[in-house]
């Protein structure tokens, strides 16, 4: 498909745990012919092209309306591919590879010449990961190509965690969409700059900082903008400078002392309701237990198990628009484990952050 013109999109449905061989072959052939295919990973859906074919990769930027200075992650299905794409891979990565891959951890490394500039937005580094999803691994294997793939949403929108999200965003703009239901984690991979020592987290993900430090037996630095706070430093991952994950609706994030957060949210809710605004409450199960449930409540998951909140996060942001809300009021979460990834996404999606 050229220039993002509307065209035919093949939808290939399959069981996430039992990839359909015949349909995978169809998708792999499209990739080999220079087309673009959306596919599930364990984090969010990706929009993939042959990473070594610059014309194919260009189609991704067009379909998503992605700024050309935001580089893509290259997805592999065998660990040996890492060394074909990257050079100067530090020993500490080689030592932990079996523990983190396949999995939601992306390493930024010095790139080899084989990786086209369009993939890395001209940077001398390339981001690489091996996804832990049977369908993604089957597709990369069958295509016999590394796949350059950003999240399969229109740029700036919440990332897709279900096939139906991708179909809504990209139908008619891509050659095929593999729909294998819901992804496992719901937030994107942890991005680690491994060209620095100590390594630096550029984007927090499903595997928390504490857990990663234990695995790699190394101190990790966290880049200030990885917290999602307003930027002061020059961003290292170019994607960090754009507003992201944002629904059409305004999102107000209230964070700080839990009791005060709930108090502030209810106060705002009443004020906005009085102004006849269509306002939704994005709350945890624990908060709903305290405040009661009403028709405007969207359940995020449990504060006791933040994996549930991560899994529902983007779906909940999308549902604000689907249900016609103008404003969403959302509580903040602990900055620990996967909570850091949740807060990074919420802060970036928010039009306003209130600290209490
Ligand atoms: O879980 C994920 O990582 C998903 C699935 C599809 O694999 N992918 C994903 O891709 O979230 P994307 O393009 O939405 O986000 C990639 C992030 C961006 O913030 C980008 O700037 C950063 O990785 N990145 C990519 N290459 C980089 C590089 N060479 N140096 C620094 N940051 C890089
Ligand atoms: Mg993205």
């Amino acid at each position: 498909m050229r220039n993002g013109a509307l065209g035919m999109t093949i939808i290939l449905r399959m069981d996430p745990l039992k990839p359909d061989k015949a349909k995978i072959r169809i998708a792999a052939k499209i990739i080999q012919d220079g087309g673009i295919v959306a596919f599930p990973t364990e984090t969010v859906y990706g929009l993939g092209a042959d990473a070594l074919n610059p014309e194919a990769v260009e189609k991704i930027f067009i379909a998503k309306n992605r700024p050309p200075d935001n580089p893509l992650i290259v997805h592999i299905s065998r660990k040996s591919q890492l060394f074909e794409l990257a050079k100067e891979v530090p020993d500490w990565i080689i030592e932990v590879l079996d523990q983190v891959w396949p999995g939601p951890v992306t390493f930024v490394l010095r790139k080899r010449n084989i990786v086209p500039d369009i993939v890395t937005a001209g940077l001398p580094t390339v981001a690489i990961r091996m996804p832990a999803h049977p369908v993604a691994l089957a597709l990369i294997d069958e295509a016999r190509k590394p796949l350059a793939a950003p999240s399969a949403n229109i740029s700036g929108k919440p990332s897709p965690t279900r096939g139906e999200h991708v179909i809504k965003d990209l139908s008619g703009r891509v050659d095929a969409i593999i729909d294998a239901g819901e992804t496992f984690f719901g937030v994107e991979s942890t991005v680690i700059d491994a060209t620095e020592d100590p390594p630096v987290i550029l984007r927090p993900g499903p595997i928390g900082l504490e857990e990663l430090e234990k695995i790699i037996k190394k101190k990790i630095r966290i880049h200030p903008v990885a917290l999602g706070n307003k930027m002061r430093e020059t961003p290292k991952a170019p994607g960090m400078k754009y507003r992201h994950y944002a629904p059409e609706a305004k999102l107000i994030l209230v964070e700080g002392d839990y009791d005060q957060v709930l108090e502030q949210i209810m106060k705002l809710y009443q004020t906005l309701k009085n102004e006849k605004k269509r306002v939704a409450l994005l709350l945890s199960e624990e908060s709903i237990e305290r405040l009661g449930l009403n028709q405007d409540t969207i359940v995020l998951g449990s504060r006791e198990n933040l994996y549930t909140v991560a899994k529902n996060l983007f779906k909940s942001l999308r549902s604000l628009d689907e249900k016609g809300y103008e404003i969403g009021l959302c509580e903040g979460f602990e900055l620990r484990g996967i909570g850091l990834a949740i807060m990074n996404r919420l802060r970036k999606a928010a039009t306003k952050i209130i600290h209490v």
Side-chain angles (χ1 to χ4, degrees), residues 44 64 66 70 150-153 156-157 159-160 188 203 244-245:
V44 302
K64 276 193 60 132
R66 183 177 177 103
N70 193 2
S151 50
N153 49 285
K157 295 282 145 223
S159 299
E188 305 89 337
R203 180 180 70 184
H244 256 127
Y245 318 115

Side-chain angles (χ1 to χ4, degrees), residues 230 243 246-253 326-328 346-354:
K230 297 289 167 254
R243 181 157 180 252
E248 297 295 327
K250 292 200 174 102
L251 183 72
I252 302 177
L253 174 65
E326 295 164 276
I327 304 171
L346 281 174
R347 285 168 173 174
K348 286 179 156 218
T351 40
K352 187 173 175 183
I353 302 173
I354 299 174

Side-chain angles (χ1 to χ4, degrees), residues 229-244:
N229 289 326
K230 297 289 167 254
M231 259 178 320
R232 283 192 207 96
E233 284 189 39
T234 316
K236 180 88 194 235
M240 297 192 297
K241 72 171 181 260
Y242 299 102
R243 181 157 180 252
H244 256 127

